[in-house]
Structure formats: structure tokens, C-alpha cells
Amino acid sequence: MELNLERPLLFFDIESTGLNIPSDSIIELSFVKILPGGEQRIKTWKIKPWDYEKEAQRPIDPKASEVNGVTDDMLVNCPRFSEVEPEISGWLEGSDLAGFNSAKFDLPMLAEEMERVRLYCKREVSVNLHDARMVDVQNIYHQMEPRNLRAAYRFYCGGEDFDNAHTAEADTLATYEVLKAQLDMYEGTLKNNVEH
């Protein structure tokens, strides 16, 4: 189904040096802008993560590199966020936003980078992220496909609800049944011991 839009909807995703919003930096930012009428525009930036206080490239946490495949040396010749911020702001201007888990991570990380431009580069950023409406696709997924004990019991134990949900004994017994069913379903992947 095509989106019914009055304003552009800008889907975005961020890869970063790590998961700590105040102390990590964006290393890759991708936008997919859907215009009313369905036209699609795509732009991706590789960004040198910059520590403005130390005036040096911020290192990527090795755990982040394992996930995103980006290493420090791959970004040496890339622009800093502050250098591409005007273009990024241009893409954001007048758009609503969408992403997956973006309300909890991507949007705050983007806001942090923009605040660094204001603070360290002494430059106003033309876009106000608070003006945009936000669609977090992960929230829709969690609402429509609940991830709670009742849903786990239905999924792993035959599609039926268990009696007396939200009583301590019923929840405890359901949890036990779910674990046994998970061990059956993922035999060979899960180890049947407490250590693993």
C-alpha cells in the first residue's frame, strides 16, 4: 500500500561509533525521502566521527565495528558531521521522520550531532527536529506483534492462551513451558544447560 502523505516522510538510519549518545558519533547516515505522490529520493553519507574537544577522529568501538563493518581507517578521508550538516538539514527541512527504533536511538543521536555543531562550531542549525512528527516502525511492530509472556506462550506452546495470566503461579508455570518449548524448537542452537 502506498503512503498517504501530506508532507515528505524521511526514513533514516544511523550507524555509529557506539551506543552512548552523549559520547559516540555518527559514522553513516542514510535518508530515503518519500514525497507526496510517491517519488523517492535516497542519500547516504559516510562521516568521519569527530571529537570536537580533542580535535581528533573519535575511534569506533570494536563491538560497533563488528556489527556495522566500518573501521576507523575507512573514514579518515570522509567529511565531519559539521561539514555535511547544511546538506543534512536541507534534507530534513519540512519532512516528517520515520525509522526502526529511531525514536530511542537514531533521532537522539542525530540531535546530539546537531547540538555539537551549535556548541563547538558556533553555527545555528536551520532545522528543528522537535517540529517533525515521528513514525517509529518498531513501535508499530511491538504494538501489533506483542512480545510478552502471553504472546511467547501462544507462539511456543501451541497457539492457545494460558489460564490465569498475571497471577504469579500461572506466569511462572507458563515461563517454564515456554523455555522447554524453546529448547525443542531451537535444538542444536540453544544448549540445554544454565551456563549457556
Side-chain angles (χ1 to χ4, degrees), residues 10-16 18-31 45 47 52 80-82 84-93 95-99 101-118 125 127-130 132-134:
L10 187 72
F11 289 82
F12 72 109
D13 187 65
I14 286 171
E15 300 301 329
S16 64
L19 298 176
N20 188 320
I21 292 167
S23 64
D24 282 306
S25 296
I26 294 173
I27 58 174
E28 185 177 38
L29 173 61
S30 186
F31 286 162
W45 295 267
I47 299 170
Y52 293 92
R80 300 177 203 163
F81 185 89
S82 61
V84 293
E85 175 276 319
E87 185 180 13
I88 291 168
S89 289
W91 275 76
L92 289 162
E93 193 70 42
S95 296
D96 291 318
L97 303 174
N101 192 34
S102 48
K104 292 179 183 174
F105 180 74
D106 301 79
L107 186 59
M109 181 66 83
L110 183 58
E112 180 69 25
E113 287 283 15
M114 291 191 161
E115 186 57 31
R116 290 175 188 153
V117 170
R118 287 183 187 101
V125 176
V127 68
N128 182 349
L129 294 175
H130 298 291
R133 291 174 289 189
M134 179 75 208

Short mmCIF file of all heavy atoms in Angstrom, two decimals, residues 10-16 18-31 45 47 52 80-82 84-93 95-99 101-118 125 127-130 132-134:
data_model
loop_
_atom_site.label_atom_id
_atom_site.label_comp_id
_atom_site.label_asym_id
_atom_site.label_seq_id
_atom_site.Cartn_x
_atom_site.Cartn_y
_atom_site.Cartn_z
N LEU A 10 10.64 11.23 5.73
CA LEU A 10 12.06 10.92 5.60
C LEU A 10 12.41 9.75 6.49
O LEU A 10 12.46 9.87 7.72
CB LEU A 10 12.89 12.14 6.00
CG LEU A 10 14.38 12.04 5.76
CD1 LEU A 10 14.70 12.10 4.27
CD2 LEU A 10 15.10 13.15 6.49
N PHE A 11 12.62 8.58 5.88
CA PHE A 11 13.09 7.41 6.61
C PHE A 11 14.60 7.58 6.80
O PHE A 11 15.29 8.04 5.89
CB PHE A 11 12.83 6.13 5.81
CG PHE A 11 11.37 5.77 5.74
CD1 PHE A 11 10.54 6.36 4.81
CD2 PHE A 11 10.85 4.83 6.61
CE1 PHE A 11 9.20 6.03 4.75
CE2 PHE A 11 9.51 4.49 6.56
CZ PHE A 11 8.67 5.09 5.62
N PHE A 12 15.10 7.23 7.98
CA PHE A 12 16.53 7.38 8.19
C PHE A 12 17.07 6.31 9.12
O PHE A 12 16.34 5.72 9.91
CB PHE A 12 16.87 8.78 8.71
CG PHE A 12 16.47 9.06 10.13
CD1 PHE A 12 17.42 9.17 11.13
CD2 PHE A 12 15.14 9.25 10.47
CE1 PHE A 12 17.07 9.45 12.42
CE2 PHE A 12 14.77 9.54 11.76
CZ PHE A 12 15.73 9.63 12.76
N ASP A 13 18.37 6.06 8.97
CA ASP A 13 19.07 5.10 9.83
C ASP A 13 20.49 5.61 10.03
O ASP A 13 21.07 6.23 9.14
CB ASP A 13 19.10 3.71 9.21
CG ASP A 13 19.66 2.69 10.18
OD1 ASP A 13 19.03 2.44 11.22
OD2 ASP A 13 20.75 2.15 9.91
N ILE A 14 21.01 5.31 11.21
CA ILE A 14 22.34 5.76 11.60
C ILE A 14 23.18 4.56 12.01
O ILE A 14 22.69 3.66 12.69
CB ILE A 14 22.23 6.75 12.79
CG1 ILE A 14 21.71 8.09 12.29
CG2 ILE A 14 23.55 6.90 13.53
CD1 ILE A 14 21.37 9.06 13.40
N GLU A 15 24.44 4.57 11.61
CA GLU A 15 25.46 3.69 12.19
C GLU A 15 26.37 4.61 12.98
O GLU A 15 26.60 5.77 12.58
CB GLU A 15 26.23 2.94 11.10
CG GLU A 15 25.37 2.06 10.21
CD GLU A 15 24.59 0.98 10.94
OE1 GLU A 15 25.06 0.49 11.99
OE2 GLU A 15 23.49 0.64 10.48
N SER A 16 26.90 4.11 14.08
CA SER A 16 27.67 4.99 14.96
C SER A 16 28.89 4.30 15.54
O SER A 16 29.07 3.09 15.39
CB SER A 16 26.77 5.49 16.10
OG SER A 16 26.37 4.39 16.89
N GLY A 18 29.36 3.79 18.56
CA GLY A 18 28.90 3.02 19.71
C GLY A 18 27.49 3.42 20.06
O GLY A 18 26.83 4.14 19.30
N LEU A 19 27.01 3.00 21.22
CA LEU A 19 25.62 3.21 21.60
C LEU A 19 25.41 4.30 22.64
O LEU A 19 24.28 4.53 23.06
CB LEU A 19 25.03 1.89 22.12
CG LEU A 19 25.00 0.75 21.10
CD1 LEU A 19 24.48 -0.53 21.76
CD2 LEU A 19 24.16 1.12 19.90
N ASN A 20 26.47 4.97 23.06
CA ASN A 20 26.36 6.02 24.07
C ASN A 20 26.15 7.35 23.36
O ASN A 20 27.10 7.93 22.82
CB ASN A 20 27.61 6.04 24.95
CG ASN A 20 27.45 6.97 26.12
OD1 ASN A 20 26.90 8.06 25.99
ND2 ASN A 20 27.95 6.53 27.26
N ILE A 21 24.93 7.83 23.37
CA ILE A 21 24.57 9.02 22.59
C ILE A 21 25.43 10.23 22.93
O ILE A 21 25.93 10.90 22.04
CB ILE A 21 23.06 9.30 22.69
CG1 ILE A 21 22.31 8.17 21.96
CG2 ILE A 21 22.70 10.66 22.12
CD1 ILE A 21 20.84 8.10 22.22
N PRO A 22 25.67 10.55 24.21
CA PRO A 22 26.49 11.74 24.50
C PRO A 22 27.96 11.63 24.11
O PRO A 22 28.59 12.63 23.82
CB PRO A 22 26.37 11.90 26.03
CG PRO A 22 25.16 11.13 26.42
CD PRO A 22 25.04 10.02 25.42
N SER A 23 28.49 10.41 24.06
CA SER A 23 29.94 10.30 23.80
C SER A 23 30.30 9.59 22.50
O SER A 23 31.48 9.46 22.18
CB SER A 23 30.62 9.59 24.97
OG SER A 23 30.15 8.26 25.08
N ASP A 24 29.32 9.13 21.74
CA ASP A 24 29.61 8.49 20.46
C ASP A 24 29.19 9.40 19.31
O ASP A 24 28.59 10.45 19.53
CB ASP A 24 28.93 7.12 20.38
CG ASP A 24 29.70 6.06 21.15
OD1 ASP A 24 30.91 5.91 20.89
OD2 ASP A 24 29.11 5.40 22.02
N SER A 25 29.51 8.99 18.09
CA SER A 25 29.27 9.82 16.91
C SER A 25 28.70 9.01 15.76
O SER A 25 28.93 7.80 15.67
CB SER A 25 30.58 10.47 16.45
OG SER A 25 31.08 11.35 17.41
N ILE A 26 28.04 9.70 14.87
CA ILE A 26 27.52 9.10 13.64
C ILE A 26 28.69 8.83 12.69
O ILE A 26 29.56 9.66 12.51
CB ILE A 26 26.51 10.04 12.96
CG1 ILE A 26 25.27 10.21 13.85
CG2 ILE A 26 26.13 9.54 11.57
CD1 ILE A 26 24.29 11.26 13.35
N ILE A 27 28.67 7.63 12.08
CA ILE A 27 29.67 7.30 11.06
C ILE A 27 29.02 7.06 9.70
O ILE A 27 29.69 7.13 8.68
CB ILE A 27 30.54 6.09 11.46
CG1 ILE A 27 29.70 4.85 11.71
CG2 ILE A 27 31.40 6.44 12.68
CD1 ILE A 27 30.51 3.58 11.97
N GLU A 28 27.73 6.78 9.70
CA GLU A 28 26.99 6.63 8.45
C GLU A 28 25.56 7.07 8.70
O GLU A 28 24.97 6.73 9.73
CB GLU A 28 27.02 5.19 7.95
CG GLU A 28 26.37 5.02 6.59
CD GLU A 28 26.48 3.60 6.07
OE1 GLU A 28 26.37 2.64 6.86
OE2 GLU A 28 26.65 3.45 4.85
N LEU A 29 25.01 7.82 7.77
CA LEU A 29 23.64 8.32 7.85
C LEU A 29 23.00 8.13 6.49
O LEU A 29 23.57 8.55 5.47
CB LEU A 29 23.64 9.80 8.25
CG LEU A 29 22.32 10.55 8.24
CD1 LEU A 29 21.32 9.93 9.21
CD2 LEU A 29 22.54 12.02 8.56
N SER A 30 21.85 7.48 6.47
CA SER A 30 21.15 7.26 5.20
C SER A 30 19.73 7.78 5.31
O SER A 30 19.04 7.56 6.29
CB SER A 30 21.13 5.78 4.84
OG SER A 30 20.57 5.61 3.56
N PHE A 31 19.32 8.51 4.28
CA PHE A 31 17.97 9.05 4.16
C PHE A 31 17.28 8.45 2.94
O PHE A 31 17.89 8.34 1.88
CB PHE A 31 18.00 10.57 3.95
CG PHE A 31 18.35 11.39 5.16
CD1 PHE A 31 18.76 12.70 4.99
CD2 PHE A 31 18.26 10.90 6.45
CE1 PHE A 31 19.07 13.50 6.08
CE2 PHE A 31 18.57 11.68 7.55
CZ PHE A 31 18.97 12.99 7.36
N TRP A 45 25.50 9.29 3.62
CA TRP A 45 26.79 9.92 3.92
C TRP A 45 27.63 8.97 4.78
O TRP A 45 27.12 8.38 5.73
CB TRP A 45 26.60 11.19 4.75
CG TRP A 45 25.90 12.32 4.09
CD1 TRP A 45 26.46 13.35 3.40
CD2 TRP A 45 24.49 12.57 4.08
NE1 TRP A 45 25.49 14.21 2.96
CE2 TRP A 45 24.27 13.76 3.37
CE3 TRP A 45 23.39 11.90 4.61
CZ2 TRP A 45 23.01 14.29 3.17
CZ3 TRP A 45 22.11 12.41 4.42
CH2 TRP A 45 21.94 13.59 3.69
N ILE A 47 30.64 9.41 7.37
CA ILE A 47 31.05 10.57 8.15
C ILE A 47 32.22 10.22 9.07
O ILE A 47 32.17 9.20 9.77
CB ILE A 47 29.85 11.09 8.98
CG1 ILE A 47 28.71 11.52 8.03
CG2 ILE A 47 30.27 12.22 9.91
CD1 ILE A 47 27.41 11.82 8.72
N TYR A 52 35.14 16.96 19.07
CA TYR A 52 35.41 18.39 18.95
C TYR A 52 36.27 18.92 20.10
O TYR A 52 36.99 19.90 19.93
CB TYR A 52 34.09 19.17 18.87
CG TYR A 52 33.33 18.88 17.60
CD1 TYR A 52 32.38 17.86 17.56
CD2 TYR A 52 33.57 19.61 16.45
CE1 TYR A 52 31.69 17.58 16.39
CE2 TYR A 52 32.88 19.35 15.29
CZ TYR A 52 31.95 18.33 15.25
OH TYR A 52 31.27 18.05 14.09
N ARG A 80 33.51 15.50 8.21
CA ARG A 80 32.93 15.50 9.55
C ARG A 80 31.45 15.84 9.45
O ARG A 80 31.00 16.44 8.47
CB ARG A 80 33.60 16.56 10.43
CG ARG A 80 35.06 16.36 10.61
CD ARG A 80 35.60 17.51 11.44
NE ARG A 80 37.03 17.65 11.18
CZ ARG A 80 37.73 18.71 11.46
NH1 ARG A 80 37.15 19.77 11.99
NH2 ARG A 80 39.02 18.74 11.21
N PHE A 81 30.70 15.52 10.49
CA PHE A 81 29.26 15.84 10.50
C PHE A 81 29.04 17.34 10.28
O PHE A 81 28.16 17.74 9.52
CB PHE A 81 28.61 15.39 11.82
CG PHE A 81 27.13 15.60 11.83
CD1 PHE A 81 26.28 14.61 11.36
CD2 PHE A 81 26.57 16.78 12.28
CE1 PHE A 81 24.90 14.80 11.34
CE2 PHE A 81 25.20 16.98 12.27
CZ PHE A 81 24.36 15.99 11.80
N SER A 82 29.86 18.16 10.93
CA SER A 82 29.69 19.61 10.82
C SER A 82 29.84 20.09 9.38
O SER A 82 29.24 21.10 9.00
CB SER A 82 30.69 20.34 11.72
OG SER A 82 32.02 20.05 11.34
N VAL A 84 28.89 18.37 6.65
CA VAL A 84 27.75 17.97 5.82
C VAL A 84 26.41 18.35 6.46
O VAL A 84 25.35 18.14 5.86
CB VAL A 84 27.77 16.45 5.52
CG1 VAL A 84 28.95 16.11 4.62
CG2 VAL A 84 27.79 15.62 6.78
N GLU A 85 26.45 18.95 7.64
CA GLU A 85 25.21 19.33 8.34
C GLU A 85 24.28 20.20 7.49
O GLU A 85 23.07 19.97 7.48
CB GLU A 85 25.53 20.01 9.68
CG GLU A 85 24.32 20.53 10.42
CD GLU A 85 23.90 21.92 9.95
OE1 GLU A 85 24.79 22.77 9.71
OE2 GLU A 85 22.69 22.14 9.81
N PRO A 86 24.78 21.22 6.75
CA PRO A 86 23.84 22.01 5.95
C PRO A 86 23.06 21.16 4.93
O PRO A 86 21.85 21.36 4.74
CB PRO A 86 24.73 23.04 5.25
CG PRO A 86 25.91 23.18 6.17
CD PRO A 86 26.14 21.79 6.71
N GLU A 87 23.73 20.22 4.31
CA GLU A 87 23.04 19.34 3.35
C GLU A 87 22.05 18.43 4.08
O GLU A 87 20.92 18.22 3.62
CB GLU A 87 24.06 18.51 2.56
CG GLU A 87 23.42 17.68 1.47
CD GLU A 87 24.43 16.87 0.68
OE1 GLU A 87 25.60 16.73 1.10
OE2 GLU A 87 24.02 16.34 -0.37
N ILE A 88 22.46 17.88 5.23
CA ILE A 88 21.58 17.04 6.03
C ILE A 88 20.35 17.82 6.46
O ILE A 88 19.22 17.35 6.33
CB ILE A 88 22.35 16.47 7.25
CG1 ILE A 88 23.40 15.45 6.78
CG2 ILE A 88 21.39 15.85 8.27
CD1 ILE A 88 24.39 15.03 7.84
N SER A 89 20.55 19.04 6.95
CA SER A 89 19.43 19.89 7.36
C SER A 89 18.50 20.18 6.20
O SER A 89 17.27 20.22 6.37
CB SER A 89 19.94 21.19 7.97
OG SER A 89 20.53 20.94 9.23
N GLY A 90 19.05 20.37 5.01
CA GLY A 90 18.23 20.58 3.82
C GLY A 90 17.32 19.40 3.54
O GLY A 90 16.16 19.58 3.16
N TRP A 91 17.83 18.20 3.72
CA TRP A 91 17.01 17.01 3.52
C TRP A 91 15.93 16.90 4.59
O TRP A 91 14.83 16.43 4.34
CB TRP A 91 17.89 15.76 3.53
CG TRP A 91 18.50 15.44 2.21
CD1 TRP A 91 19.56 16.07 1.62
CD2 TRP A 91 18.09 14.43 1.31
NE1 TRP A 91 19.83 15.50 0.39
CE2 TRP A 91 18.94 14.48 0.18
CE3 TRP A 91 17.09 13.46 1.33
CZ2 TRP A 91 18.81 13.62 -0.90
CZ3 TRP A 91 16.97 12.59 0.26
CH2 TRP A 91 17.81 12.68 -0.84
N LEU A 92 16.25 17.31 5.81
CA LEU A 92 15.30 17.22 6.92
C LEU A 92 14.20 18.28 6.87
O LEU A 92 13.09 18.03 7.33
CB LEU A 92 16.05 17.36 8.26
CG LEU A 92 16.93 16.19 8.67
CD1 LEU A 92 17.93 16.62 9.73
CD2 LEU A 92 16.07 15.04 9.17
N GLU A 93 14.51 19.43 6.33
CA GLU A 93 13.60 20.58 6.34
C GLU A 93 12.24 20.22 5.75
O GLU A 93 12.14 19.71 4.64
CB GLU A 93 14.22 21.73 5.54
CG GLU A 93 13.52 23.05 5.75
CD GLU A 93 13.76 23.62 7.14
OE1 GLU A 93 14.90 23.55 7.62
OE2 GLU A 93 12.80 24.12 7.73
N SER A 95 10.14 17.91 6.54
CA SER A 95 9.79 16.49 6.47
C SER A 95 9.37 15.96 7.83
O SER A 95 9.86 16.41 8.86
CB SER A 95 10.99 15.67 5.99
OG SER A 95 11.36 16.01 4.68
N ASP A 96 8.50 14.97 7.80
CA ASP A 96 8.27 14.15 8.97
C ASP A 96 9.29 13.02 8.91
O ASP A 96 9.91 12.79 7.87
CB ASP A 96 6.83 13.62 8.98
CG ASP A 96 5.82 14.75 9.21
OD1 ASP A 96 6.09 15.61 10.07
OD2 ASP A 96 4.78 14.75 8.52
N LEU A 97 9.47 12.32 10.02
CA LEU A 97 10.54 11.34 10.12
C LEU A 97 10.01 9.94 10.38
O LEU A 97 8.96 9.78 11.01
CB LEU A 97 11.50 11.73 11.25
CG LEU A 97 12.12 13.12 11.15
CD1 LEU A 97 12.93 13.44 12.40
CD2 LEU A 97 12.98 13.23 9.90
N ALA A 98 10.75 8.93 9.92
CA ALA A 98 10.39 7.53 10.16
C ALA A 98 11.66 6.70 10.24
O ALA A 98 12.68 7.02 9.63
CB ALA A 98 9.49 7.01 9.04
N GLY A 99 11.58 5.64 11.01
CA GLY A 99 12.71 4.72 11.14
C GLY A 99 12.32 3.54 12.00
O GLY A 99 11.17 3.42 12.43
N ASN A 101 13.27 1.79 15.48
CA ASN A 101 13.89 2.09 16.78
C ASN A 101 14.53 3.48 16.75
O ASN A 101 15.41 3.79 17.53
CB ASN A 101 14.93 1.03 17.18
CG ASN A 101 15.36 1.17 18.62
OD1 ASN A 101 14.59 1.56 19.49
ND2 ASN A 101 16.62 0.89 18.89
N SER A 102 14.07 4.31 15.85
CA SER A 102 14.70 5.62 15.66
C SER A 102 14.33 6.62 16.74
O SER A 102 15.12 7.52 17.02
CB SER A 102 14.35 6.17 14.27
OG SER A 102 12.97 6.05 14.04
N ALA A 103 13.19 6.48 17.37
CA ALA A 103 12.81 7.42 18.43
C ALA A 103 13.71 7.27 19.65
O ALA A 103 13.97 8.23 20.36
CB ALA A 103 11.35 7.23 18.83
N LYS A 104 14.23 6.07 19.88
CA LYS A 104 15.07 5.81 21.06
C LYS A 104 16.56 6.01 20.78
O LYS A 104 17.31 6.28 21.69
CB LYS A 104 14.85 4.39 21.56
CG LYS A 104 13.48 4.16 22.14
CD LYS A 104 13.34 2.74 22.61
CE LYS A 104 11.94 2.48 23.12
NZ LYS A 104 11.74 1.06 23.43
N PHE A 105 16.98 5.82 19.53
CA PHE A 105 18.42 5.90 19.27
C PHE A 105 18.77 6.88 18.16
O PHE A 105 19.50 7.84 18.37
CB PHE A 105 19.01 4.52 18.95
CG PHE A 105 20.48 4.58 18.66
CD1 PHE A 105 21.39 4.78 19.69
CD2 PHE A 105 20.96 4.49 17.37
CE1 PHE A 105 22.75 4.88 19.44
CE2 PHE A 105 22.32 4.58 17.11
CZ PHE A 105 23.20 4.78 18.14
N ASP A 106 18.28 6.64 16.96
CA ASP A 106 18.72 7.42 15.80
C ASP A 106 18.40 8.91 15.93
O ASP A 106 19.25 9.76 15.66
CB ASP A 106 18.09 6.86 14.51
CG ASP A 106 18.48 5.41 14.29
OD1 ASP A 106 17.89 4.53 14.93
OD2 ASP A 106 19.38 5.17 13.47
N LEU A 107 17.17 9.23 16.33
CA LEU A 107 16.79 10.64 16.47
C LEU A 107 17.60 11.34 17.56
O LEU A 107 18.14 12.43 17.32
CB LEU A 107 15.29 10.77 16.71
CG LEU A 107 14.74 12.18 16.73
CD1 LEU A 107 15.01 12.91 15.42
CD2 LEU A 107 13.23 12.15 17.02
N PRO A 108 17.74 10.75 18.76
CA PRO A 108 18.59 11.40 19.77
C PRO A 108 20.05 11.55 19.32
O PRO A 108 20.70 12.55 19.62
CB PRO A 108 18.48 10.49 20.99
CG PRO A 108 17.17 9.80 20.83
CD PRO A 108 17.00 9.63 19.34
N MET A 109 20.58 10.56 18.59
CA MET A 109 21.97 10.65 18.11
C MET A 109 22.09 11.78 17.09
O MET A 109 23.06 12.55 17.12
CB MET A 109 22.42 9.32 17.50
CG MET A 109 23.84 9.33 16.99
SD MET A 109 25.12 9.52 18.25
CE MET A 109 25.26 7.85 18.83
N LEU A 110 21.12 11.90 16.20
CA LEU A 110 21.13 12.98 15.21
C LEU A 110 21.03 14.34 15.92
O LEU A 110 21.76 15.29 15.57
CB LEU A 110 19.98 12.79 14.22
CG LEU A 110 19.88 13.78 13.08
CD1 LEU A 110 21.14 13.79 12.23
CD2 LEU A 110 18.65 13.45 12.22
N ALA A 111 20.16 14.43 16.91
CA ALA A 111 20.02 15.68 17.66
C ALA A 111 21.32 16.03 18.39
O ALA A 111 21.71 17.21 18.45
CB ALA A 111 18.86 15.56 18.65
N GLU A 112 22.00 15.03 18.93
CA GLU A 112 23.27 15.26 19.62
C GLU A 112 24.32 15.81 18.66
O GLU A 112 25.05 16.76 18.99
CB GLU A 112 23.77 13.96 20.25
CG GLU A 112 25.09 14.09 20.99
CD GLU A 112 25.00 14.91 22.27
OE1 GLU A 112 23.91 15.01 22.85
OE2 GLU A 112 26.04 15.48 22.67
N GLU A 113 24.40 15.25 17.46
CA GLU A 113 25.38 15.75 16.48
C GLU A 113 25.05 17.19 16.08
O GLU A 113 25.96 18.01 15.93
CB GLU A 113 25.40 14.86 15.23
CG GLU A 113 26.06 13.51 15.44
CD GLU A 113 27.57 13.55 15.47
OE1 GLU A 113 28.20 14.62 15.62
OE2 GLU A 113 28.17 12.46 15.35
N MET A 114 23.78 17.50 15.93
CA MET A 114 23.41 18.87 15.58
C MET A 114 23.73 19.84 16.72
O MET A 114 24.16 20.96 16.47
CB MET A 114 21.94 18.94 15.19
CG MET A 114 21.67 18.22 13.89
SD MET A 114 20.04 18.55 13.28
CE MET A 114 20.26 18.08 11.58
N GLU A 115 23.54 19.37 17.94
CA GLU A 115 23.89 20.21 19.09
C GLU A 115 25.40 20.46 19.14
O GLU A 115 25.84 21.56 19.50
CB GLU A 115 23.41 19.55 20.39
CG GLU A 115 23.60 20.40 21.61
CD GLU A 115 22.91 21.77 21.53
OE1 GLU A 115 21.86 21.89 20.88
OE2 GLU A 115 23.45 22.72 22.13
N ARG A 116 26.19 19.49 18.75
CA ARG A 116 27.65 19.68 18.69
C ARG A 116 28.02 20.75 17.67
O ARG A 116 28.94 21.53 17.90
CB ARG A 116 28.35 18.36 18.37
CG ARG A 116 28.28 17.36 19.49
CD ARG A 116 28.89 16.03 19.08
NE ARG A 116 28.64 15.04 20.12
CZ ARG A 116 28.56 13.73 19.91
NH1 ARG A 116 28.74 13.24 18.68
NH2 ARG A 116 28.33 12.91 20.91
N VAL A 117 27.31 20.78 16.56
CA VAL A 117 27.56 21.83 15.56
C VAL A 117 27.27 23.19 16.17
O VAL A 117 28.06 24.14 16.02
CB VAL A 117 26.71 21.59 14.29
CG1 VAL A 117 26.77 22.79 13.36
CG2 VAL A 117 27.17 20.32 13.57
N ARG A 118 26.15 23.30 16.88
CA ARG A 118 25.81 24.58 17.54
C ARG A 118 26.86 24.96 18.58
O ARG A 118 27.31 26.11 18.62
CB ARG A 118 24.45 24.47 18.24
CG ARG A 118 23.27 24.44 17.32
CD ARG A 118 21.96 24.42 18.13
NE ARG A 118 20.83 24.24 17.26
CZ ARG A 118 20.18 23.09 17.08
NH1 ARG A 118 20.55 22.02 17.74
NH2 ARG A 118 19.16 23.03 16.25
N VAL A 125 21.82 25.67 13.44
CA VAL A 125 21.32 24.63 12.55
C VAL A 125 19.92 25.05 12.14
O VAL A 125 19.10 25.42 12.99
CB VAL A 125 21.33 23.27 13.27
CG1 VAL A 125 20.72 22.20 12.40
CG2 VAL A 125 22.76 22.91 13.67
N VAL A 127 17.31 23.47 11.02
CA VAL A 127 16.16 22.58 11.20
C VAL A 127 15.94 22.33 12.70
O VAL A 127 16.89 22.23 13.47
CB VAL A 127 16.36 21.26 10.43
CG1 VAL A 127 17.46 20.42 11.02
CG2 VAL A 127 15.08 20.47 10.36
N ASN A 128 14.66 22.26 13.08
CA ASN A 128 14.29 21.94 14.45
C ASN A 128 13.65 20.55 14.43
O ASN A 128 12.53 20.38 13.94
CB ASN A 128 13.32 22.99 15.00
CG ASN A 128 12.93 22.72 16.43
OD1 ASN A 128 13.21 21.66 16.99
ND2 ASN A 128 12.27 23.67 17.04
N LEU A 129 14.35 19.57 14.97
CA LEU A 129 13.85 18.19 14.95
C LEU A 129 12.57 18.01 15.76
O LEU A 129 11.82 17.07 15.55
CB LEU A 129 14.93 17.23 15.43
CG LEU A 129 16.16 17.13 14.54
CD1 LEU A 129 17.23 16.26 15.19
CD2 LEU A 129 15.81 16.60 13.16
N HIS A 130 12.30 18.92 16.69
CA HIS A 130 11.09 18.83 17.51
C HIS A 130 9.84 19.17 16.70
O HIS A 130 8.72 18.84 17.13
CB HIS A 130 11.19 19.76 18.72
CG HIS A 130 12.31 19.40 19.63
ND1 HIS A 130 12.33 18.25 20.39
CD2 HIS A 130 13.48 20.03 19.89
CE1 HIS A 130 13.43 18.20 21.09
NE2 HIS A 130 14.16 19.26 20.80
N ALA A 132 9.14 18.01 13.71
CA ALA A 132 8.78 16.88 12.85
C ALA A 132 7.95 15.86 13.63
O ALA A 132 8.18 15.60 14.80
CB ALA A 132 10.03 16.21 12.30
N ARG A 133 6.96 15.29 12.95
CA ARG A 133 6.24 14.15 13.51
C ARG A 133 7.11 12.91 13.25
O ARG A 133 7.85 12.85 12.28
CB ARG A 133 4.89 14.00 12.86
CG ARG A 133 3.94 15.14 13.25
CD ARG A 133 2.65 15.08 12.50
NE ARG A 133 2.94 15.44 11.12
CZ ARG A 133 2.04 15.66 10.18
NH1 ARG A 133 0.76 15.53 10.45
NH2 ARG A 133 2.38 16.00 8.95
N MET A 134 7.02 11.92 14.14
CA MET A 134 7.90 10.76 14.07
C MET A 134 7.09 9.48 14.01
O MET A 134 6.21 9.26 14.84
CB MET A 134 8.79 10.76 15.32
CG MET A 134 9.75 9.62 15.42
SD MET A 134 11.11 9.86 14.28
CE MET A 134 11.55 8.18 13.97
#
